[in-house]
C-alpha cells in the first residue's frame, strides 16, 4: 500500500507531536507513524518537567535572577561543553516560548505553585505538568493533533528511508510486522524516534560499560531506529558513547522512580553503612557512578513528611508508592531506629548521619558535600527509605542537525528532505543531559522541524 503526504513524521513522542502540529498548522498534509500500539514514547513515562528560564511560576514564587544566559551556561557545563553552542543557544532562547506554546496552544496544565531544581541547575526553573508525569503532555498533544485531523498510524514501524536522486522522498514501513507500507513525503521526512536506551546491542556497540547488567528506564520502542535509518543514508553521528543512567531507579524493574523526586527538595542518599557519599543535587552521571562504587552498587534515599510536603510526590505517584512498599523496596517508619532496622543499616551510624544533616540544615552549610540548595531538617518523622540503583535513561548521542533541524551527512552537508528532532539528535545535551532538558529540547526542536517543513 502507498500513502502520499507532504510531511511524514516518524515517532509519536513529544518531539514528533510538536513537529506534526506545526507542519499541519502551516498548511501541510501530515502523518505520524508510531511502531508501538499507543502513542507517547518516553515522553509519556517521563516526569514531564520542563526547564524554562524566567517562567511565570518563578515570578509567582519570587525566584529572581534566572536568565537565558544562566540556563545556557548550566546546560553547556552540564554536558562538559560538548553540546553545540549555537544549538544550545537556540534551546535556551526558545525554552520559555516552547513552554508557553504548550500552555497556551496545546492547553497543557502546569502546576502554578511548584518548580523543580534538577541537578546541575542554578535555579528552580523546571515547570511541572499536573500529575507530575508526561501523561499530561502527551494527552494534550494527542488531543491537539486530533483536532487538526493529523492521522496517526500506530503499529507502523518505519524500516528505511527512501532516497531518490540524492533526496529523501519517504519511508518504507511495516504494519503489525505483516504488511509493507510506503509513505511518500513530498516535502520532508522528520525523524523523532527517540534514543536507543532499550537496545543493549546498540548501547554496547558505542560504550561497553552499558551492557545487560544495566536495566533501562525507557520504553521498549526506544531502540535507535531513526539513528540507524539516517546513518544508512549517509548521516553523521556524534557523541554516541555518552549514555546517561538515571541514579534513582527500581532495582527490580529498572523503572525511574518519580516518587524519589523528593531528592530535589532535600531527601538524602546513604549507603548500606548509613553514610552519605555524594551531593544529592550532583549531575546524574556523578551520582550514578558514586552509587555503583558503594557496597552492593545501590543506595538508599531517605526523606520525611516535611520534605514530602514540599515535593508532594507521595500524592502524585500513589501507584509507585504502593508497588515499592509491596516489593519491600520502600519502608515507612516513625523513628530513625526503625528505619535503619528495616533495611539492616546500623542504627547508630544512620543516627549520626542524620544528626549531621540536621545541623547542616540549621546552619545552611553542608560541610560534607556542599548541598547546593541547602539540606532540610530530618528531625521529625515519619520517615521513608527507598532502595535504588542507576538505570540507563537517556542517550545523548545521535544525529547531527543544524539550526533548521536538517540532518547533516558526514561531509557536513544537509541531506535534502531529511529532518530530525528530539532524543535521536546528538548535538544539544553534550556528554550529559540535565534534568528537565529533554522536554525543553524536544518541544523546541520538534517545533522548529515542523515549521521548517511547513515552509517548504
Ligand atoms: P522524543 O522525546 O525524542 O520525542 P520519545 O521516546 O518520546 O522521543 O518518542 C519516540 C517515539 O518513536 C516512541 O513512541 C517510539 O515507539 C517511536 N518509534 C521508535 N522507532 C520507530 C520506528 N522505527 N517507526 C515508528 N515509530 C518509532
Amino acid at each position: 500500500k502507498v500513502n502520499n503526504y507532504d510531511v511524514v513524521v516518524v515517532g509519536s513522542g513529544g518531539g514528533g507531536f510538536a513537529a506534526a502540529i506545526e507542519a499541519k498548522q502551516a498548511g501541510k498534509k501530515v502523518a505520524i507513524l508510531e511502531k508501538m500500539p499507543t502513542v507517547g514514547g518516553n515522553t509519556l513515562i517521563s516526569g514531564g518537567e520542563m526547564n524554562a528560564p524566567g517562567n511565570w511560576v518563578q515570578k509567582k514564587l519570587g525566584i529572581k535572577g534566572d536568565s537565558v544566559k544562566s540556563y545556557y551556561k548550566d546546560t553547556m557545563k552540564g554536558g562538559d561543553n560538548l553540546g553545540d553552542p549555537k544549538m544550545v543557544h537556540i534551546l535556551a532562547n526558545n525554552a520559555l516560548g516552547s513552554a508557553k506554546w504548550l500552555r497556551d496552544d496545546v492547553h497543557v496544565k502546569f502546576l502554578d505553585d511548584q518548580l523543580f531544581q534538577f541537578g546541575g541547575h542554578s535555579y528552580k526553573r523546571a515547570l511541572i505538568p499536573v500529575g507530575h508525569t508526561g501523561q499530561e503532555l502527551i494527552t494534550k498533544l494527542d488531543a491537539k493533533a486530533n483536532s487538526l485531523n493529523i492521522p496517526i498510524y500506530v503499529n507502523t514501524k518505519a524500516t528505511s528511508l527512501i532516497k531518490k536522486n540524492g533526496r529523501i522522498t519517504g519511508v518504507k514501513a511495516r504494519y503489525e510486522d505483516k504488511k509493507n507500507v510506503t509513505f511518500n513525503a513530498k516535502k520532508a521526512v522528520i525523524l523523532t524516534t527517540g534514543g536507543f536506551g532499550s537496545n543493549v546491542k546498540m548501547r554496547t556497540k558505542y560504550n561497553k560499560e552499558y551492557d545487560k547488567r544495566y536495566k533501562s528506564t525507557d520504553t521498549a520502542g526506544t531502540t535507535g531506529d531513526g539513528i540507524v535509518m539516517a546513518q544508512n543514508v549517509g548521516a553523521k553521528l556524534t557523541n554516541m558513547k555518552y549514555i546517561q543512567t538515571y541514579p534513582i531507579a527500581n532495582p527490580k524493574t529498572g523503572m525511574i522512580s518519580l516518587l524519589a523526586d523528593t531528592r530535589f527538595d532535600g531527601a538524602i542518599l546513604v549507603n548500606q553503612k548509613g553514610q552519605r557519599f555524594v551531593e544529592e543535587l550532583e549531575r546524574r552521571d556523578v551520582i550514578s557512578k558514586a552509587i555503583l562504587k558503594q557496597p552492593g552498587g545501590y543506595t538508599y534515599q531517605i526523606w520525611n513528611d516535611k520534605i514530602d510536603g514540599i515535593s508532594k510526590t507521595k500524592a502524585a505517584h500513589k501507584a509507585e508508592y504502593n508497588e515499592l512498599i509491596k516489593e519491600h523496596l520502600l519502608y515507612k517508619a516513625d523513628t530513625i531506629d526503625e528505619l535503619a532496622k528495616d533495611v539492616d543499616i546500623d542504627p547508630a551510624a544512620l543516627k549520626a548521619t542524620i544528626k549531621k544533616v540536621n545541623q547542616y540544615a540549621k546552619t545552611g552549610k553542608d560541610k560534607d558535600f556542599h548541598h547546593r540548595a541547602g539540606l532540610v531538617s530530618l528531625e521529625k518523622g515519619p520517615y521513608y527509605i527507598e532502595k535504588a540503583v542507576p538505570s540507563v535513561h537517556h542517550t545523548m548521542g545521535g544525529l547531527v542537525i543544524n539550526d533548521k533541524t536538517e540532518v547533516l551527512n558526514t561531509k557536513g552537508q544537509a541531506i535534502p528532505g531529511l529532518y530530525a528532532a528530539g532524543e535521536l539528535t546528538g548535538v544539544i545535551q553534550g556528554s550529559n543531559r540535565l534534568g528537565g532538558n529533554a522536554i525543553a529540547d524536544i518541544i523546541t526542536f520538534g517545533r522548529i522541524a515542523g515549521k521548517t517543513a511547513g515552509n517548504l
Side-chain angles (χ1 to χ4, degrees):
K1 198 171 176 265
V2 178
N3 297 286
N4 295 308
Y5 289 94
D6 296 324
V7 178
V8 173
V9 177
V10 186
S12 70
F17 272 116
I21 289 167
E22 289 289 3
K24 178 77 188 201
Q25 284 180 328
K28 294 290 183 278
K29 192 178 173 205
V30 182
I32 301 177
L33 314 188
E34 170 55 56
K35 71 174 171 180
M36 305 300 276
T38 48
V39 298
N42 279 327
T43 307
L44 177 71
I45 61 165
S46 75
E49 294 89 3
M50 174 179 198
N51 296 317
N55 68 57
W56 60 95
V57 183
Q58 286 180 327
K59 289 204 179 93
K60 183 169 168 187
L61 299 179
I63 296 167
K64 291 198 181 84
D66 196 9
S67 63
V68 166
K69 203 169 157 194
S70 166
Y71 176 44
Y72 168 81
K73 276 195 190 161
D74 286 347
T75 300
M76 286 299 291
K77 184 165 174 244
D80 295 315
N81 294 308
L82 286 170
D84 176 342
K86 191 173 165 199
M87 299 298 281
V88 179
H89 268 302
I90 295 176
L91 169 72
N93 277 320
N94 288 283
L96 180 58
S98 301
K100 286 184 177 163
W101 179 76
L102 283 178
R103 183 191 68 183
D104 299 336
D105 286 33
V106 185
H107 309 300
V108 166
K109 286 208 170 72
F110 292 103
L111 301 179
D112 63 4
D113 58 353
Q114 195 185 346
L115 294 168
F116 272 162
Q117 179 174 6
F118 285 108
H121 288 282
S122 303
Y123 294 91
K124 277 196 185 210
R125 59 163 71 104
L127 297 160
I128 307 169
V130 296
H132 292 236
T133 79
Q135 189 163 3
E136 169 69 10
L137 306 181
I138 291 299
T139 305
K140 299 290 168 66
L141 285 164
D142 191 26
K144 180 83 185 177
N146 277 332
S147 76
L148 293 169
N149 294 316
I150 299 171
I152 303 175
Y153 294 83
V154 294
N155 293 312
T156 303
K157 179 180 172 169
T159 51
S160 64
L161 296 164
I162 304 167
K163 196 173 180 178
K164 277 190 196 137
N165 303 324
R167 186 186 166 81
I168 301 306
T169 60
V171 305
K172 290 198 169 143
R174 293 275 291 167
Y175 173 68
E176 286 188 341
D177 215 14
K178 288 187 212 111
K179 268 183 251 156
N180 291 326
V181 201
T182 296
F183 289 86
N184 290 321
K186 217 188 280 170
K187 301 287 184 189
V189 171
I190 303 176
L191 297 174
T192 54
T193 52
F196 57 97
S198 292
N199 186 337
V200 178
K201 218 166 154 193
M202 190 159 169
R203 268 166 27 193
T204 49
K205 175 172 174 187
Y206 293 102
N207 191 327
K208 295 230 166 353
E209 165 71 14
Y210 299 103
D211 60 18
K212 62 179 187 322
R213 289 173 303 153
Y214 289 85
K215 295 188 167 64
S216 173
T217 65
D218 295 347
T219 55
T222 312
T223 49
D225 301 11
I227 297 175
V228 175
M229 283 189 279
Q231 195 183 20
N232 287 341
V233 296
K236 181 183 169 161
L237 308 187
T238 189
N239 288 334
M240 290 298 284
K241 69 176 175 201
Y242 298 112
I243 294 176
Q244 178 173 71
T245 53
Y246 190 80
I248 310 297
N250 183 316
K252 292 189 180 162
T253 63
M255 261 174 70
I256 189 167
S257 176
L258 297 176
L259 182 75
D261 281 351
T262 48
R263 180 164 58 91
F264 309 119
D265 292 307
I268 60 162
L269 300 176
V270 302
N271 59 19
Q272 188 64 52
K273 292 179 187 156
Q275 297 159 337
R276 285 175 72 214
F277 53 90
V278 70
E279 190 224 338
E280 287 79 358
L281 289 187
E282 251 295 1
R283 281 164 38 164
R284 293 170 173 182
D285 55 340
V286 176
I287 298 179
S288 296
K289 279 185 192 142
I291 292 172
L292 292 178
K293 280 199 200 118
Q294 304 312 306
Y298 55 82
T299 185
Y300 292 107
Q301 182 168 316
I302 299 175
W303 67 98
N304 62 3
D305 263 348
K306 178 175 170 180
I307 291 170
D308 180 66
I310 307 169
S311 53
K312 305 181 184 92
T313 65
K314 200 175 150 190
H317 306 293
K318 264 203 154 54
E320 188 196 346
Y321 180 88
N322 293 333
E323 174 72 14
L324 291 176
I325 292 270
K326 200 179 98 204
E327 294 287 334
H328 302 288
L329 294 168
L330 174 74
Y331 294 91
K332 182 180 181 185
D334 288 328
T335 65
I336 301 290
D337 265 308
E338 287 170 60
L339 203 66
K341 278 183 204 139
D342 280 333
V343 294
D344 282 330
I345 294 179
D346 170 26
L350 190 58
K351 275 196 274 191
T353 296
I354 303 280
K355 196 173 159 194
K356 270 207 259 175
V357 167
N358 293 340
Q359 268 166 14
Y360 299 159
K362 263 192 205 115
T363 61
K365 279 214 171 80
D366 167 13
K367 284 199 195 140
D368 295 331
F369 296 100
H370 311 285
H371 195 285
R372 69 195 71 192
L375 287 159
V376 177
S377 168
L378 288 167
E379 244 153 327
K380 282 210 190 90
Y383 300 98
Y384 304 88
I385 190 161
E386 177 181 339
K387 190 174 182 179
V389 297
S391 178
V392 167
H393 183 52
H394 189 97
T395 48
M396 269 69 65
L399 306 177
V400 178
I401 56 167
N402 63 16
D403 55 354
K404 291 188 232 146
T405 72
E406 292 171 321
V407 176
L408 306 188
N409 66 17
T410 48
K411 290 184 198 133
Q413 303 151 333
I415 300 172
L418 189 61
Y419 302 80
E423 192 179 343
L424 87 164
T425 67
V427 285
I428 297 142
Q429 315 290 354
S431 62
N432 172 61
R433 176 182 67 86
L434 298 184
N437 262 1
I439 305 293
D441 173 355
I442 66 176
I443 300 301
T444 297
F445 289 100
R447 288 185 69 206
I448 292 173
K451 283 185 193 169
T452 304
N455 278 327
L456 294 172

